[in-house]
Amino acid sequence: SLFEHLGGVLPVADEAAFNVLSALTGTLTTHYSYLATLTSWTVGHGIDPDEADRYVRGLFQGVGRSLSDETRSLHQLAADLETPNGNNERIRTTWFTPANAGALNKALDDLLADL
């Protein structure tokens, strides 16, 4: 009952499933650091820090709202946002490479092993 007021609960089958989901919570501050890095990059290119912060927050608040559309998978949400050969596709394919995704998977696996 208490947790329903804090955003809900997701019952899990066992401790192993709980640990998998707990490992995911270890990515939250990484997300904020990612946003801070985007903001710093923007400031480094001459944008006022307050404007850069406001712009990055606005972009990703929109992303957060789009997550409420559970009729589309996360892959579909990404695909719907990309223009072929456009800016989003370029950053995704040059920065979030299979090696980068593999490093994230390894970090999560290592955390899960410790849990």
Side-chain angles (χ1 to χ4, degrees), residues 4-29:
E4 284 295 334
H5 297 290
L6 298 174
V9 295
L10 176 64
V12 294
D14 54 35
E15 188 173 351
F18 177 79
N19 287 340
V20 168
L21 297 177
S22 292
L24 288 181
T25 66
T27 66
L28 292 176
T29 59

Side-chain angles (χ1 to χ4, degrees), residues 3-72:
F3 292 109
E4 284 295 334
H5 297 290
L6 298 174
V9 295
L10 176 64
V12 294
D14 54 35
E15 188 173 351
F18 177 79
N19 287 340
V20 168
L21 297 177
S22 292
L24 288 181
T25 66
T27 66
L28 292 176
T29 59
T30 300
H31 182 71
Y32 289 124
S33 293
Y34 169 76
L35 299 179
T37 299
L38 295 178
T39 302
S40 294
W41 179 86
T42 305
V43 170
H45 287 276
I47 303 299
D48 174 80
D50 290 337
E51 290 178 20
D53 185 82
R54 190 169 37 257
Y55 187 77
V56 169
R57 286 174 186 266
L59 277 176
F60 286 89
Q61 285 170 354
V63 168
R65 284 188 295 275
S66 72
L67 292 173
S68 66
D69 179 1
E70 295 180 12
T71 66
R72 296 184 292 165

